[in-house]
Amino acid sequence: MFLWYKFLHIFFIVSWFAGLFYLPRIYVNLALCQHPDEYQRLLIMAQKLYKFMTPWAIGAVIFGLLMPLMHIGFSGWVHGKILISTLLITYHIYCGKLLRDFVQSRNQRSHKWFRLFNELPVFCLLIALYLALFKPF
């Protein structure tokens, strides 16, 4: 059963990260947008992507927690991955807040800020992969 949990966890992680990487790129374009029609089209894309990626996030968390609960236990590296997961969930929720700001035309951030914001999940992914593969503690 453990391999099924691992398989599903990886599947959900890959799907979730596709959204985590792309949604802030849409925000870059929204922050740069000058034309109302283009803004509306990008906004619809962002809303659909956020709705699409949220179930993948939930699946990633569920199967990520099932593995230590049912099989491998909560060693130090698992606590590290839970911390990284908590940061990513916070990032995901904050992406939803940013989306609401765009919907209400209240965005105060520049396209440069969104470009930097877009890099945060990359570092979380690198740390999580390191912890999962090398199990340093």
Side-chain angles (χ1 to χ4, degrees), residues 1-130:
M1 201 62 175
F2 173 75
L3 287 178
W4 279 108
Y5 294 159
K6 192 177 206 179
F7 169 80
L8 289 169
H9 177 61
I10 292 169
F11 169 77
F12 282 114
I13 285 291
V14 169
S15 301
W16 182 28
F17 266 87
L20 287 177
F21 290 151
Y22 191 58
L23 185 62
R25 295 303 304 167
I26 295 174
Y27 293 167
V28 169
N29 292 319
L30 279 166
L32 286 169
C33 193
Q34 300 293 322
H35 304 289
D37 290 342
E38 181 183 0
Y39 189 87
Q40 280 303 100
R41 185 172 33 88
L42 289 168
L43 199 55
I44 289 168
M45 287 174 58
Q47 290 171 316
K48 287 183 177 185
L49 180 58
Y50 191 77
K51 284 181 186 177
F52 175 80
M53 62 194 258
T54 298
W56 303 124
I58 294 166
V61 169
I62 288 170
F63 287 102
L65 286 173
L66 278 174
M67 287 186 290
L69 284 171
M70 302 299 211
H71 297 283
I72 58 178
F74 287 90
S75 57
W77 68 271
V78 174
H79 288 279
K81 279 197 65 184
I82 291 170
L83 175 63
I84 295 297
S85 300
T86 303
L87 292 173
L88 286 167
I89 292 164
T90 303
Y91 182 89
H92 181 104
I93 292 167
Y94 190 64
C95 281
K97 185 253 186 247
L98 293 170
L99 180 56
R100 286 187 300 279
D101 288 347
F102 278 115
V103 168
Q104 298 168 356
S105 298
R106 293 185 314 172
N107 175 51
Q108 300 294 315
R109 310 251 187 226
S110 72
H111 67 94
K112 291 179 184 177
W113 186 88
F114 285 109
R115 289 179 199 277
L116 289 173
F117 179 73
N118 189 47
E119 302 305 323
L120 295 176
V122 173
F123 296 112
C124 289
L125 179 60
L126 284 172
I127 295 166
L129 283 172
Y130 173 79

